[in-house]
Amino acid sequence: MEILPGEGVPSAKVGEHRDVVEARIGRPVHPGRDSRAVYDTNPILVLTYAGDETVEIVELGYSGGDGEEVFFDGVQLTYRFMDDVLRDLAARGYAAEPFDIGYYFEPGFAIYSMGSRCAGDLDDTAADDDPRVVVEGVSVAPYGYFDKKPDEEEISELMRRYG
């Protein structure tokens, strides 16, 4: 599946209303907590909705050889080693900015790893302690979304909700 940086994917775009998305792809298999919903697509699609029920961020997971992976500009993003993806994107002129679990890119997307995959998943010869990181997901939103630092009100809301 090809991402549209800053926008999403053909089946779900930032700014679209939940009713429009669900008319296209169906109801979520797991509505999630609060504003997140998981859809049974290939690859798996997780949408975060804003308070007005419009898509705020589009996330896609890896398929792991059992289905379709996520691509951008001819580069397979998911279920590959992070360093290989970074190298291929850099060769096409896309500079990466690191964050705690991955990298974001100015066109409006991020790649990340939650650490649930290991090098052995991609390379049968990898040792158990192989440090190579596997890209497990892609987030798509306008670039400013990734560069945004929470303000005091947002921190207070997160603390109230999860603290």
Side-chain angles (χ1 to χ4, degrees):
M1 176 180 290
E2 186 81 13
I3 64 166
L4 308 166
E7 294 181 43
V9 292
S11 60
K13 294 182 181 160
V14 172
E16 284 187 312
H17 194 273
R18 181 189 297 257
D19 294 340
V20 172
V21 172
E22 291 182 0
R24 189 178 304 124
I25 63 175
R27 307 248 328 129
V29 293
H30 175 52
R33 294 179 295 158
D34 300 319
S35 60
R36 293 173 60 92
V38 178
Y39 296 89
D40 187 21
T41 58
N42 187 4
I44 194 103
L45 178 65
V46 179
L47 301 179
T48 300
Y49 290 98
D52 64 357
E53 294 291 292
T54 58
V55 176
E56 183 175 37
I57 187 167
V58 175
E59 296 179 83
L60 301 133
Y62 68 93
S63 293
D66 294 337
E68 194 173 346
E69 297 301 339
V70 182
F71 289 81
F72 170 62
D73 196 13
V75 175
Q76 180 179 331
L77 302 176
T78 54
Y79 212 62
R80 289 185 65 210
F81 290 120
M82 182 80 69
D83 289 344
D84 294 343
V85 174
L86 292 171
R87 183 190 63 243
D88 290 350
L89 289 171
R92 286 172 172 72
Y94 300 105
E97 296 184 51
F99 68 101
D100 58 345
I101 60 169
Y103 296 86
Y104 59 93
F105 298 83
E106 190 169 339
F109 70 96
I111 58 175
Y112 60 87
S113 174
M114 299 300 291
S116 64
R117 301 280 82 183
C118 65
D121 293 331
L122 297 179
D123 179 357
D124 292 339
T125 66
D128 288 341
D129 62 348
D130 189 313
R132 292 178 290 176
V133 175
V134 177
V135 177
E136 297 173 19
V138 176
S139 298
V140 184
Y143 176 69
Y145 181 91
F146 300 109
D147 199 27
K148 179 182 168 203
K149 306 289 185 257
D151 60 28
E152 289 298 319
E153 184 177 315
E154 291 169 321
I155 292 171
S156 294
E157 174 62 19
L158 288 171
M159 292 300 291
R160 183 189 66 73
R161 194 180 287 178
Y162 304 109

